């Protein structure tokens, strides 16, 4: 869920811009169709066997007979070798996405054995995370919570031995966030005591499958800044300073510092913030924004995160190397999904080969 599309201009980014222009000129039927869309950014604990990851992705869009599931597309596949983690962006109407997610999860659980997994990114499950995000204005909070719970139940029923915890809107009535639930489950520890974990669904976690987080929330973006050092303690200090829970931290930012490709990456989950952008954090760049059930949400922009990391690193004589977004903004995700579905493109990730995601 980490390094991705560089913010610097490149032909791939220009190409995606043209694709979004095509979407904006699409007919009203397509726009109406987009009102029920949701995205699942399926996180699986494998990236080094890309053929395996693509097999999991195809399970979301084709049934066991190889027949395509209409109205479903995989927009993007992101792989990170060091993290040994991939993110598969599945988009469909909330009315039909469940089977696509469960089929991909079944395939992943069959092919990935956590007994053999190595990687620097924290993880607990072969299918590590199943977040569902609303993209269409006719998708309600209650719809997403219901669907996430159904997916969690379906996974633990269809793959015997799997277990799950719930987060966000699916975690009723507490609605605990993903970071809190991960901490409670021991996700951040190097070696978790699986037998001590009490999942919300399924048995005590088995080593082969591990534990899966399933939930729903407003859209979460990922922004990662690489700093030119191998000193992870510097990374930890920067991560702590920009984390939302720290006084003066950035709204919605949950962050880890991880060794990555000979440097340190400040890897941020950028959660949606309800309401308008804070006036004291005006960077001159619009904050990505959208609405759910008529309520406005926004994200801290990548430029703000980059500037804060650069400032903190600079105080220690360290420069930044690059900034990357993983995947899309909510607007981009919906726009490209409508484009892909209106043109009948199931394996849309192949259209993104020139964009480093």
């Amino acid at each position: 869920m980490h390094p991705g599309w560089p913010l610097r201009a490149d032909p791939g980014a220009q190409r995606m811009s043209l694709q979004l222009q095509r979407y904006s000129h699409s007919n009203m039927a397509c726009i109406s169709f987009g009102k029920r869309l949701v995205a699942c950014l399926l996180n699986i604990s494998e990236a080094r066997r890309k053929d395996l990851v693509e097999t999991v992705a195809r399970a979301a869009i084709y049934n066991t007979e190889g027949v395509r599931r209409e109205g479903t597309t995989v927009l993007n596949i992101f792989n990170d070798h060091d993290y040994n983690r991939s993110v598969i962006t599945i988009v469909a109407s909330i009315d039909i996405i469940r089977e696509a997610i469960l089929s991909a999860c079944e395939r992943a659980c069959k092919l990935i054995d956590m007994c053999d997994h190595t990687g620097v990114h924290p993880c607990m499950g072969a299918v590590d995370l199943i977040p569902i995000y609303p993209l269409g204005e006719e998708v309600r909070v209650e719809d997403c919570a219901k669907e996430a719970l159904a997916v969690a139940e379906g996974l633990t029923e269809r793959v015997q031995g799997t277990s799950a915890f719930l987060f966000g809107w699916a975690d009723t009535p507490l609605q605990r966030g993903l970071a809190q639930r991960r901490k409670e489950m021991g996700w951040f520890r190097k070696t978790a005591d699986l037998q001590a974990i009490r999942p919300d669904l399924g048995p005590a976690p088995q080593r082969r499958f591990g534990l899966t987080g399933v939930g729903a929330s407003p859209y979460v973006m990922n922004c990662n800044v690489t700093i030119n050092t191998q000193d992870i303690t510097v990374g930890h200090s920067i991560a702590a300073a920009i984390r939302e829970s720290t006084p003066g931290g950035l709204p919605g930012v949950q962050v880890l510092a991880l060794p990555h490709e000979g440097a340190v990456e400040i890897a941020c989950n950028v959660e949606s913030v309800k309401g308008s952008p804070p006036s004291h954090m005006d960077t001159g760049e619009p904050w990505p924004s959208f609405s759910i059930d008529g309520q406005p949400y926004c994200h801290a922009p990548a430029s703000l995160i980059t500037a804060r990391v650069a400032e903190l690193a600079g105080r220690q004589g360290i420069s930044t190397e690059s900034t990357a977004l993983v995947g899309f903004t909510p607007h981009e995700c919906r726009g490209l999904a409508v484009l892909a579905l209106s043109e009948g493109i199931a394996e849309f990730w192949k259209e993104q080969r020139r964009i480093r995601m």
Side-chain angles (χ1 to χ4, degrees):
M1 57 193 309
H2 294 291
W5 170 30
L7 295 184
R8 60 180 179 275
D10 60 35
Q14 294 169 5
R15 185 169 177 233
M16 189 172 76
S17 177
L18 291 173
Q19 289 169 328
L20 284 172
Q21 289 177 33
R22 289 167 64 193
Y23 154 68
S24 67
H25 291 94
S26 59
N27 59 44
M28 291 302 294
C30 291
I31 295 173
S32 177
F33 174 79
K35 292 182 177 181
R36 296 287 294 169
L37 288 179
V38 293
C40 173
L41 272 63
L42 184 68
N43 286 236
I44 63 173
S45 296
E46 178 59 62
R48 297 169 188 174
R49 295 175 288 174
K50 292 188 178 181
D51 57 337
L52 184 158
V53 177
E54 292 201 358
T55 297
V56 173
R58 290 192 179 96
I61 48 182
Y62 303 102
N63 67 20
T64 53
E65 286 75 42
V67 178
R68 185 192 166 195
R69 292 190 175 89
E70 292 298 326
T72 305
T73 185
V74 170
L75 286 186
N76 190 53
I77 300 175
F78 162 73
N79 312 101
D80 190 284
H81 183 276
D82 281 11
Y83 292 165
N84 202 9
R85 185 180 187 85
S86 296
V87 182
I88 301 169
T89 303
I90 306 166
V91 181
S93 164
I94 193 167
D95 307 297
I96 63 172
I97 198 170
R98 185 187 311 171
E99 186 59 31
I101 296 171
L102 287 173
S103 295
C105 290
E106 282 187 280
R107 190 63 56 88
C109 289
K110 182 178 180 180
L111 298 175
I112 301 169
D113 187 341
M114 290 303 289
C115 297
D116 302 325
H117 183 270
T118 58
V120 298
H121 197 288
C123 66
M124 290 185 75
V127 177
D128 201 54
L129 188 65
I130 309 174
I132 297 175
Y133 306 136
L135 295 177
E137 59 268 27
E138 292 184 0
V139 180
R140 301 175 305 154
V141 168
E142 295 82 2
D143 298 329
C144 291
K146 180 180 178 181
E147 200 59 29
L149 180 58
V151 167
E153 291 173 341
L155 174 62
T156 55
E157 290 169 2
R158 286 163 63 160
V159 183
Q160 294 299 308
T162 57
S163 52
F165 68 88
L166 302 171
F167 67 89
W169 295 330
D171 176 44
T172 56
L174 299 178
Q175 296 192 0
R176 289 166 290 185
L178 177 59
Q180 179 182 347
R181 297 255 55 207
R182 279 175 160 171
K183 186 175 181 180
E184 292 169 354
M185 294 293 153
W187 189 84
F188 296 102
R189 299 173 192 159
K190 288 188 176 180
T191 305
D193 180 2
L194 294 181
Q195 292 304 309
I197 294 172
R198 298 292 176 263
D200 296 321
L201 297 96
Q206 298 180 12
R207 180 84 187 280
R208 172 181 168 79
F209 301 119
L211 179 68
T212 301
V214 187
S217 74
Y219 198 96
V220 176
M221 299 197 304
N222 300 102
C223 175
N224 309 297
V225 184
T226 301
I227 57 175
N228 287 313
T229 182
Q230 294 184 356
D231 188 347
I232 194 66
T233 59
V234 173
H236 289 322
S237 68
I238 293 173
I242 68 172
R243 189 171 291 128
E244 179 183 45
S245 58
T246 300
L250 300 178
V253 172
Q254 309 295 333
V255 55
L256 294 173
L258 298 167
H260 189 265
E261 297 182 351
V264 171
E265 185 164 78
I266 310 301
C268 306
N269 278 2
V270 188
E271 297 178 350
S272 303
V273 178
K274 196 170 184 177
S276 302
S279 58
H280 68 284
M281 290 190 176
D282 183 10
T283 62
E285 176 186 340
W287 288 40
S289 59
F290 59 101
S291 65
I292 302 170
D293 283 351
Q295 295 292 324
Y297 290 83
C298 61
H299 291 97
S303 60
L304 176 60
I305 296 169
T306 302
R308 186 64 62 84
V309 172
E311 175 191 355
L312 294 167
R315 293 176 186 173
Q316 302 187 56
I318 296 169
S319 63
T320 58
E321 183 176 299
S322 63
T323 297
L325 295 177
V326 178
F328 316 105
T329 67
H331 173 72
E332 291 166 346
C333 191
R334 174 175 166 165
L336 291 175
V338 171
L339 174 65
L341 294 171
S342 65
E343 297 192 1
I345 306 172
E347 300 179 23
F348 193 77
W349 77 84
K350 293 181 178 177
E351 299 291 313
Q352 303 296 330
R353 292 241 184 245
R354 295 186 182 182
I355 305 176
R356 289 182 59 244
M357 292 216 176

